[in-house]
Amino acid sequence: MLSLSPDQSNTLKKLNLWYKDPNRPQFITIGGYAGTGKTTLIACWRKRLLEKEPKLKVAFCCYTGKATLVLKASLIEHGSLCKRDSVSTIHGLIYSPIEENQIIVGWEKKDDIEADLIVVDEASMLDQSIWLDLLSYRRPVVAVGDHGQLPPISGQFSLMSSPNLRLEKVHRQAESNPIIRVSLLAREQGLVPTGRFGGHVLKINRSSDDYASLIDDLLSSYNSETLILCGYNHTRIALNNAIRQKLGFDTSLPQVNDRVICLRNNHKKQIFNGQLGTIQSIKNKDSDWYDSRILLDEGVAFEGAISRHQFNQPRGLNFTDRRGQTLRGDIFDFGYALTVHKAQGSQAKKVILFEERFAKMDEPSWRRWLYTGVTRAREELVLIGP
């Protein structure tokens, strides 16, 4: 049996009490900071359920494809994934594709799903419509997420704003991870000092002598395993243009192999605000639209019209007087550099985070913003201070 901390054991007991209660609420939420062992807890619980209910079928799901791969690998590592279980994106679990001539032209909600229990990881990303679709199957749902992160990027709905159960004690083994140490400083103090924290984790200031050359090297080494994050949209635009120039793009117009980000949900086409992808083909449709094919990082291809006017704009067109025009297609922008709000749910091997605090941002909001940015990194992290 997996070894659990007192914090995890206490949470596991409460989770079991919820599950055994014949009059339980349909769902329970579990919040856990980075390094508190959320996945270990769920893996242990799945093992115990197997002993008592060997025929139970669990559907594990995440908002993004990358998160799904990470969850599946962790469950396998802990020996907690049964053959009858499934691990998929939430969209793959509850929606079916509508095809015409072997091309996916839309999606529809499934009538039913083959699962007795649903476990949602990275649940802080869910918007209200997807959450209600999940609940409509009337299965018990365990929603797990990080309650230290920013709320979802659109709407007022925030599933993890006040979780029923909380994991807040960072494990000793996790404390040795320099990214976890920096995340603690971000969450508890809102201040990460200049210096190196071990491995490939460091913070530099813009006033340092080698700042210009270091930034040039960092931007020149950009690849799809890199997330470059900032606060202001004007910084995002400047970084996108600088990186594209270093990568050899000789025009401000989107091209094949450009990295892009989706800026609005389209449930029929199963594309969602914040998804990243790479342009595979693009051509002019008319003065307002491109015809495009975009391979999303989750492995699904999007095909359709995207607005010509969204690229390098400080705001999404759906928040401007062009909103009516945007209903004819979808909106994407360059996705090399993102605001931290747009990067929620994403993770990368390497993160470069430009600390930018809004004038009206209070201390709790700043700490949440900084913590969210730091915890996007899996292995390498460079913070750029003012």
Side-chain angles (χ1 to χ4, degrees):
M1 184 60 65
L2 296 172
S3 176
L4 299 181
S5 68
D7 194 27
Q8 289 173 310
S9 296
N10 183 49
T11 301
L12 182 61
K13 289 178 183 177
K14 293 178 180 178
L15 180 58
N16 279 324
L17 288 174
W18 166 80
Y19 187 69
K20 294 175 182 178
D21 185 355
N23 299 313
R24 68 186 172 222
Q26 184 184 355
F27 68 90
I28 189 169
T29 54
I30 303 175
Y33 297 132
T36 57
K38 299 184 293 293
T39 303
T40 299
L41 172 72
I42 293 303
C44 183
W45 188 51
R46 179 63 188 104
K47 275 192 169 183
R48 295 190 182 186
L49 288 177
L50 180 61
E51 297 171 1
K52 299 177 181 179
E53 300 183 48
K55 295 184 178 181
L56 183 74
K57 180 176 176 59
V58 181
F60 295 95
C61 56
C62 305
Y63 188 83
T64 67
K66 282 188 176 180
T68 299
L69 294 174
V70 172
L71 175 62
K72 184 174 183 178
S74 181
L75 291 169
I76 292 173
E77 179 185 352
H78 288 110
S80 301
L81 187 63
C82 303
K83 290 184 178 179
R84 67 185 63 85
D85 295 341
S86 62
V87 185
S88 68
T89 62
I90 298 167
H91 312 110
L93 176 66
I94 66 176
Y95 301 112
S96 297
I98 302 171
E99 296 188 13
E100 292 181 5
N101 299 320
Q102 297 184 329
I103 296 176
I104 297 175
V105 296
W107 298 75
E108 60 185 358
K109 183 173 165 291
K110 295 177 181 178
D111 292 330
D112 200 8
I113 58 174
E114 295 183 6
D116 305 305
L117 169 68
I118 300 172
V119 176
V120 185
D121 197 14
E122 299 284 356
S124 57
M125 283 298 299
L126 296 192
D127 65 24
Q128 189 170 26
S129 63
I130 295 177
W131 177 241
L132 293 177
D133 280 349
L134 268 173
L135 294 181
S136 71
Y137 294 104
R138 301 189 180 280
R139 305 297 204 279
V141 180
V142 179
V144 184
D146 189 333
H147 56 296
Q149 291 184 23
L150 291 165
I153 50 184
S154 61
Q156 301 300 313
F157 179 77
S158 181
L159 182 62
M160 301 307 299
S161 61
S162 183
N164 303 119
L165 306 176
R166 297 173 182 243
L167 290 169
E168 300 189 331
K169 176 62 176 175
V170 174
H171 290 175
R172 285 184 179 179
Q173 59 268 36
E175 288 177 343
S176 63
N177 182 316
I179 293 175
I180 296 297
R181 293 208 309 274
V182 172
S183 79
L184 285 170
L185 291 169
R187 178 165 55 82
E188 295 176 355
Q189 301 178 28
L191 178 65
V192 179
T194 301
R196 186 172 291 275
F197 294 84
H200 299 282
V201 179
L202 72 152
K203 178 177 175 177
I204 62 172
N205 288 330
R206 293 179 178 89
S207 58
S208 64
D209 294 338
D210 57 351
Y211 169 73
S213 60
L214 178 59
I215 290 300
D216 186 70
D217 290 342
L218 289 172
L219 299 187
S220 298
S221 63
Y222 174 88
N223 59 44
S224 60
E225 281 295 320
T226 303
L227 273 179
I228 299 179
L229 307 179
C230 58
Y232 292 112
N233 276 308
H234 63 78
T235 304
R236 172 183 60 82
I237 293 171
L239 287 168
N240 275 327
N241 290 332
I243 296 166
R244 294 187 74 246
Q245 187 176 35
K246 290 182 180 300
L247 293 177
F249 292 99
D250 57 1
T251 172
S252 61
L253 303 178
Q255 305 290 308
V256 170
N257 293 325
D258 256 321
R259 291 285 287 169
V260 290
I261 182 171
C262 175
L263 297 184
R264 184 177 61 194
N265 295 342
N266 183 335
H267 290 277
K268 287 186 177 180
K269 290 191 174 182
Q270 286 292 281
I271 57 173
F272 298 92
N273 195 354
Q275 276 187 300
L276 293 164
T278 302
I279 295 177
Q280 292 188 315
S281 67
I282 187 167
K283 62 182 180 180
N284 294 332
K285 181 177 183 180
D286 55 37
S287 60
D288 295 320
W289 299 93
Y290 295 114
D291 271 328
S292 69
R293 176 181 172 86
I294 298 169
L295 181 62
L296 300 170
D297 286 356
E298 287 76 17
V300 178
F302 160 85
E303 292 189 4
I306 62 174
S307 173
R308 295 171 61 96
H309 305 293
Q310 180 60 74
F311 288 89
N312 277 329
Q313 294 301 308
R315 299 177 65 196
L317 294 182
N318 46 316
F319 297 106
T320 70
D321 56 8
R322 286 184 177 269
R323 179 176 175 81
Q325 300 175 29
T326 68
L327 299 179
R328 292 172 47 204
D330 294 289
I331 53 177
F332 285 76
D333 197 354
F334 294 120
Y336 301 95
L338 314 175
T339 63
V340 169
H341 283 83
K342 276 289 189 284
Q344 293 174 75
S346 298
Q347 278 195 312
K349 177 181 178 181
K350 181 177 184 178
V351 166
I352 303 168
L353 174 61
F354 289 80
E355 293 185 8
E356 294 185 321
R357 181 169 180 168
F358 307 115
K360 296 182 179 180
M361 184 178 277
D362 61 23
E363 186 63 22
S365 297
W366 164 248
R367 293 184 184 190
R368 196 175 288 268
W369 183 95
L370 187 58
Y371 173 80
T372 302
V374 165
T375 53
R376 301 310 87 209
R378 292 199 309 269
E379 298 179 19
E380 302 177 39
L381 173 66
V382 180
L383 290 95
I384 313 296

